[in-house]
């Protein structure tokens, strides 16, 4: 499945570093999502963008900063993270509309380790 | 707010045996329900979804799920499991976020191991 790609696949960073995660979708979709998948916790929705506008911020700390320059690209800028932020970060996209007419397609994720 | 419970953290079945993964949801309105599968090191792949109509939903890879409103359940089934089905399975309920996108709330997942 190459519809949604994420880079890098693995990232190790110190707490004082600044890094960015990239997501790109090749499906012509209009909505993009960031999820966090931690061990032993359910997947958590972080941000939603629709037509490049942020429509959802699920009480995410400001050390995570999303950016959506166009409908095909989504970034997650990271700075001064904590070890508990170590997780798999998943990007998804969907065409439009509500859940009954749409499907979210997921990328393979970026495995982030914060030292 | 909606929530999803997957009571079984880990299930082990023999290859060729039948499988049922349980999912219970809490949602006030008519739910949009999904099952996703995640293989190690991979993203999530949609197996099937329910939004209305026939309560028995067919999906990919021979999976099916049945929506039972009276039990608030959406259990996933497969009559004969293959070794390649070993993965983690997630049930989710969807809610419109408005403005053309929607929010998925996931269960904690059930890890399936298959004995050859």
């Amino acid at each position: 499945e190459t519809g949604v790609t994420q880079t890098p696949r693995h990232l190790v960073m110190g707490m004082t570093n600044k890094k960015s995660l990239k997501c790109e979708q090749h499906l012509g979709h209009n909505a993009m999502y960031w999820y966090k998948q931690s061990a032993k916790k359910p997947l958590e929705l972080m941000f939603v963008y629709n037509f490049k506008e942020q429509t959802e911020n699920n009480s995410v700390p400001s050390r995570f900063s999303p950016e959506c320059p166009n409908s095909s690209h989504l970034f997650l800028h990271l700075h001064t993270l904590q070890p508990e932020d170590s997780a798999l970060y998943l990007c998804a996209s969907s065409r439009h509309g509500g859940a009954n007419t749409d499907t979210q397609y997921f990328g393979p994720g970026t495995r982030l380790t914060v030292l | 707010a909606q929530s999803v419970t997957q009571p079984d953290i880990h299930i082990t079945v023999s290859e060729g045996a039948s499988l049922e993964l349980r999912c219970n949801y809490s949602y006030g309105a008519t739910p949009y329900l999904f099952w996703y599968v995640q293989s190690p090191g991979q993203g999530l792949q949609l197996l099937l979804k329910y939004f209305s109509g026939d309560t028995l939903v067919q999906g990919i890879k021979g999976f099916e799920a049945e929506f039972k409103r009276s039990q608030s359940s959406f259990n996933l089934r497969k009559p004969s499991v293959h070794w390649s089905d070993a993965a983690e399975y997630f049930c989710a309920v969807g809610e419109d976020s408005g403005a053309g996108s929607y929010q998925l709330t996931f269960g904690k997942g059930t890890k399936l191991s298959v004995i050859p």
Side-chain angles (χ1 to χ4, degrees), chain A residues 28-43:
Chain A
H29 290 168
N30 296 308
M32 296 188 78
Y33 311 75
W34 278 118
Y35 287 87
K36 177 182 179 182
Q37 186 178 28
S38 306
K40 304 189 186 304
K41 290 179 69 175
L43 278 87

Side-chain angles (χ1 to χ4, degrees), chain A residues 25-83:
Chain A
Q25 59 94 1
H26 311 273
L27 301 169
H29 290 168
N30 296 308
M32 296 188 78
Y33 311 75
W34 278 118
Y35 287 87
K36 177 182 179 182
Q37 186 178 28
S38 306
K40 304 189 186 304
K41 290 179 69 175
L43 278 87
E44 302 169 79
L45 178 67
M46 300 175 72
F47 301 104
V48 181
Y49 277 82
N50 193 41
F51 290 96
K52 302 184 297 179
E53 297 297 320
Q54 188 178 124
T55 59
E56 193 82 25
N57 177 338
N58 215 17
S59 302
V60 180
S62 59
R63 57 186 183 270
F64 295 91
S65 175
E67 179 190 0
C68 189
N70 54 62
S71 293
S72 298
H73 294 86
L74 183 65
F75 295 89
L76 188 63
H77 303 299
L78 316 170
H79 63 98
T80 59
L81 294 192
Q82 305 298 311

Side-chain angles (χ1 to χ4, degrees), chain A residues 9 31 33 35 37 40-45 48-51 55-56 58 88 90 94-109, chain B residues 4 32-34 36 38 40-46 49-52 88 90 93-109:
Chain A
R9 294 293 307 275
Y33 311 75
Y35 287 87
Q37 186 178 28
K40 304 189 186 304
K41 290 179 69 175
L43 278 87
E44 302 169 79
L45 178 67
V48 181
Y49 277 82
N50 193 41
F51 290 96
T55 59
E56 193 82 25
N58 215 17
L88 181 68
L90 291 164
S94 67
R95 186 152 45 113
H96 60 79
N100 63 330
T101 60
D102 209 3
T103 296
Q104 288 188 21
Y105 292 87
F106 285 79
Chain B
V4 177
Y32 302 138
L33 296 162
F34 304 78
Y36 282 85
Q38 185 179 32
Q42 302 297 316
L44 277 70
Q45 181 183 22
L46 181 71
K49 64 181 178 182
Y50 169 81
F51 54 91
S52 67
E88 192 155 18
F90 293 91
V93 61
E95 178 184 24
D96 274 317
S97 297
S101 62
Y102 66 96
Q103 177 170 329
L104 286 175
T105 300
F106 285 87
K108 291 187 177 182

Side-chain angles (χ1 to χ4, degrees), chain B residues 21-111:
Chain B
L21 302 182
R22 295 183 290 166
C23 172
N24 293 98
Y25 67 90
S26 173
Y27 187 60
T30 300
Y32 302 138
L33 296 162
F34 304 78
W35 274 101
Y36 282 85
V37 60
Q38 185 179 32
S39 298
Q42 302 297 316
L44 277 70
Q45 181 183 22
L46 181 71
L47 286 176
L48 47 79
K49 64 181 178 182
Y50 169 81
F51 54 91
S52 67
D54 194 346
T55 56
L56 186 62
V57 180
Q58 301 297 320
I60 62 172
K61 304 185 180 186
F63 285 92
E64 66 178 25
E66 186 171 12
F67 169 59
K68 293 185 178 180
R69 184 186 297 276
S70 62
Q71 298 176 19
S72 298
S73 69
F74 188 56
N75 294 348
L76 182 72
R77 301 194 294 247
K78 186 170 184 178
S80 178
V81 169
H82 189 261
W83 64 266
S84 60
D85 293 324
E88 192 155 18
Y89 292 79
F90 293 91
C91 181
V93 61
E95 178 184 24
D96 274 317
S97 297
S101 62
Y102 66 96
Q103 177 170 329
L104 286 175
T105 300
F106 285 87
K108 291 187 177 182
T110 297
K111 184 176 180 180

